[in-house]
Amino acid sequence: MATIEECHAALEKLSDNMRSAEGDVRTAAALDRSVSCRITDLDVTFVGRMTDGRIVVQDTLQGPPLEKAQIRLTMTGDDLVALVAGELNFAKAWGSGRVKLEAGLRDLFQLRKLL
């Protein structure tokens, strides 16, 4: 089972990947939105902001988030680490329910370029 530190590191790596992206992916990464990533098996939620092509984690909360972020991800720690490492296909994981992504319709259209 992935640790909180490994999950935080995976989010940092995802942020670095977004920052170095080009074209449509870079455009999608340029959204300015509140973000939460709920790690179900650890019962923690990383909350922060997607801004300037990065995800900035501002806090780690025990349990579910207190406020509803504009972009919300839910998954296990192992799935987060595997997604960022390229070992888990996002579309398949989303389609099977292993990963949940919730956002407004416009944001979902932009985010599909990232994922």
Side-chain angles (χ1 to χ4, degrees):
M1 180 167 72
T3 66
I4 291 174
E5 293 78 16
E6 289 169 324
C7 292
H8 193 275
L11 287 171
E12 287 293 322
K13 182 176 179 188
L14 175 61
S15 182
D16 291 343
N17 293 346
M18 288 170 48
R19 185 96 188 207
S20 64
E22 297 178 4
D24 285 346
V25 174
R26 177 72 176 161
T27 301
L31 292 172
D32 185 9
R33 301 286 187 271
S34 60
V35 177
S36 68
C37 182
R38 175 119 171 86
I39 306 300
T40 56
D41 56 332
L42 298 175
D43 194 28
V44 297
T45 303
F46 296 97
V47 294
R49 188 139 202 103
M50 179 186 293
T51 185
D52 295 326
R54 294 189 57 82
I55 296 173
V56 179
V57 175
Q58 298 166 328
D59 204 358
T60 304
L61 308 173
Q62 197 65 35
L66 302 174
E67 296 181 18
K68 188 175 174 181
Q70 292 166 303
I71 299 171
R72 299 168 304 281
L73 286 164
T74 305
M75 68 193 80
T76 67
D78 288 341
D79 284 346
L80 173 62
V81 171
L83 277 169
V84 174
E87 298 166 1
L88 179 63
N89 179 280
F90 179 83
K92 289 180 181 179
W94 188 36
S96 69
R98 284 176 65 177
V99 173
K100 289 183 184 178
L101 171 63
E102 300 171 273
L105 190 57
R106 285 186 183 169
D107 289 341
L108 285 173
F109 282 124
Q110 285 287 13
L111 291 170
R112 70 186 168 99
K113 298 173 190 172
L114 281 175
L115 308 168

